[in-house]
Amino acid sequence: MSVLMVRKPTIKSGSSAEQWLLGSMALALGAVAGIWLLLGPVPMAAPHFIAFVLLIASLAASLVMMGLVGRTRRQVEAVLEGRLSAEARAIEALRHSEAQWREVFEHNPVMYFMVDATGTVLSVNTFGAAQLGYSVSELLGKSVLKVFPAEEQPAAQSNVAICLENIGETHSWEICKVRKDGSTLWVRENAKAVRRLDGRLIVLIACEDITERKQAENALRQSEMYLAEAQRLSHTGSFGLRVASGEIIWSEETFRIFGFRKAPSVKLATVIQRIHPDDRGRVQRTIDRASSEGKGFAHSYRLLMPDGSIKHVHATAHVVKDASGSIEFVGAVTDITARKRAEMELHEAQATLAHVTRVTALGELAASIAHEVNQPLAAVVTNAAACRRWLDREPPDLKEARGTVEAIIKDGNRAGEVIQRVRALVSKATDQKAALHINDVINEVTSLVQHELLIHQVSLRLELSPDLPLVIADRVQLQQVILNLVINGIEAMQPVTDRPRELVIRTGQDEDGQIVVTVKDCGVGLAAENAGRLFDAFFTTKSSGMGMGLSICRSIIGAHGGRLSASGNAGPGATFQFTLPLTQEDAA
């Protein structure tokens, strides 16, 4: 508009000059014509004629010049009009662009601040002020520290100072701000210091709200902290194994278990070297088999630590596939060293208790044992006396003497076997599992309790299934279990006076092929109030005949992979039954 106001008077003055020139020429021409008419014709003189011609030529030239001036004027007017129109359009476009940018500045979902070197807010967009709970007027002219909590203000001042020291360079940081209502929000600020035309330094700041991202990061960090703490407390670490590359990703607890320094990843070959030499081959075969079959795995092995100590760990994993279809294992590894140590200590305690129980049982069977040993010894003495008589004859009867010597040898072996069985039960030896016939174990035990059965007037019936498969077990421990169950059965029938006292031992196989041994009595049965505590450690009730270490029996059978149970009979008495797997794999 200002350009139009300046240009229009110039155009008008040009038009007036042209009109003045045309009027002047017309007036001169009129004057010449009037003179001519008043004076009349004059003699044709050369000077007058030349003057008249010049006058006419001047008039013509003036007309021509007037035409040229008019055309030029019109061209200039057209140019000026076009320029004015273009300037008007440019001004309008500038105003529209300014409005658009102001709209973007005010309502863009980014907080914009402009502060001076002292941190005073020179400008802030409406969105930025609203995000902080303020109006624009409440922030203009105020210190920018107003929107920062006290603990963040030193950092905010330092950030502005850094920008002022590095003019024109962009700096970024993450910082916490405080709203008018006291709530907080996290922002990522991008800032740059620039110099204005008047030489003053200002800092332009664009702030992006990252509160949700920070909350998610904090939640993730907290979750990871909880997970790490839970893994530390449970001694369980996680891992991921990429089979193709042999690369393993470990959690912090896994690094601690294996004794490695924390790193982004480790190689499988490095981990294999940490495994105990005796277990490396088995572990490698397990991983290779799982990789080829595409199945998960679970196994236990030992670690040989740099200080020479041994760790026991248990690892389990399942298979996942990445985007390319390659196999990966994701799983967990647990340090079970303490558990293994506790198991060993428990096993030693159980072995000690079992030994005490066996000695106690043998103490109660002293009469039976003495009877079993006395019988062959008496036979040896008798046969030795007979042999001497056969040799004293004239001539000596060598045939009869040889027969009595063979009887002596047989009875001596019989006594030796009794002593060996007693020594085995008394000895405190470690587990020695081997393949054996369960019927042989039962026969060995029953030979020790014959006198006990006799003095308590208990008849024993054996229903042993022939051709049973071998079972992997510790002979002495099974002898103890059967001995305890037989003694319990005898004691359970002591109060019985109105019916025969009969004890039945039966062997067979169940539907799964496991060996089943059953000891059935016709005694007082199981009391309902004691049924739930029957196999508890140190529980005993002599009145029901349950005082011979049933807890030990259950522990022994459980260690063999079997199960010991008790139930009341349909008639009088109770039945104890245990199962044994055929192989060590089944027991495991």
Side-chain angles (χ1 to χ4, degrees), residues 36 55 76 97 100 143 169 178 201 293 299 329 331 397 468 474-475 492 505 509 517 560 570 585:
W36 181 271
L55 181 61
V76 171
S97 176
Q100 284 185 325
S143 173
E169 294 183 9
V178 60
L201 287 175
E293 296 177 356
H299 59 172
F329 291 103
D397 192 336
L468 287 176
D474 184 286
R475 179 181 295 271
I505 302 178
Q509 286 182 275
V517 178
H560 284 75
E585 288 77 7

Side-chain angles (χ1 to χ4, degrees), residues 167-185:
I167 301 174
E169 294 183 9
T170 300
H171 299 272
S172 299
W173 56 79
E174 294 180 0
I175 196 167
C176 181
K177 290 189 173 184
V178 60
R179 294 187 177 94
K180 186 177 181 180
D181 61 5
S183 61
T184 59
L185 75 160

Side-chain angles (χ1 to χ4, degrees), residues 253-431:
E253 180 63 15
T254 309
F255 279 102
R256 190 201 65 77
I257 291 174
F258 280 79
F260 285 104
R261 290 184 178 179
K262 191 174 181 179
S265 63
V266 294
K267 290 294 185 179
L268 178 60
T270 304
V271 178
I272 292 295
Q273 293 303 311
R274 182 54 52 90
I275 297 175
H276 195 284
D278 295 343
D279 296 345
R280 288 175 190 168
R282 176 171 55 83
V283 171
Q284 188 66 62
R285 288 192 298 271
T286 299
I287 296 176
D288 292 342
R289 182 171 62 252
S291 301
S292 62
E293 296 177 356
K295 297 180 179 179
F297 61 85
H299 59 172
S300 297
Y301 51 91
R302 293 167 295 171
L303 301 178
L304 180 58
M305 307 307 290
D307 61 0
S309 61
I310 302 295
K311 280 187 179 181
H312 295 263
V313 297
H314 179 78
T316 180
H318 70 277
V319 176
V320 296
K321 291 188 177 180
D322 59 17
S324 63
S326 299
I327 290 179
E328 296 183 5
F329 291 103
V330 176
V333 58
T334 303
D335 183 352
I336 59 173
T337 305
R339 191 181 79 188
K340 280 288 186 180
R341 187 178 298 115
E343 288 178 354
M344 293 176 62
E345 292 175 354
L346 177 61
H347 181 72
E348 291 177 0
Q350 288 178 335
T352 300
L353 184 58
H355 174 250
V356 172
T357 304
R358 287 197 298 271
V359 172
T360 302
L362 289 177
E364 296 186 8
L365 293 176
S368 296
I369 295 172
H371 177 75
E372 291 297 322
V373 175
N374 186 61
Q375 280 188 333
L377 290 180
V380 167
V381 172
T382 301
N383 288 325
C387 180
R388 187 174 60 181
R389 288 196 300 272
W390 292 117
L391 291 175
D392 288 341
R393 285 193 176 188
E394 289 296 340
D397 192 336
L398 298 180
K399 180 178 179 181
E400 292 294 339
R402 186 179 295 110
T404 55
V405 170
E406 291 176 354
I408 291 171
I409 294 172
K410 181 178 179 181
D411 290 331
N413 289 335
R414 179 183 170 190
E417 289 175 359
V418 173
I419 297 301
Q420 288 177 357
R421 287 195 290 270
V422 173
R423 289 182 62 186
L425 284 170
V426 174
S427 65
K428 190 179 179 181
T430 58
D431 296 351

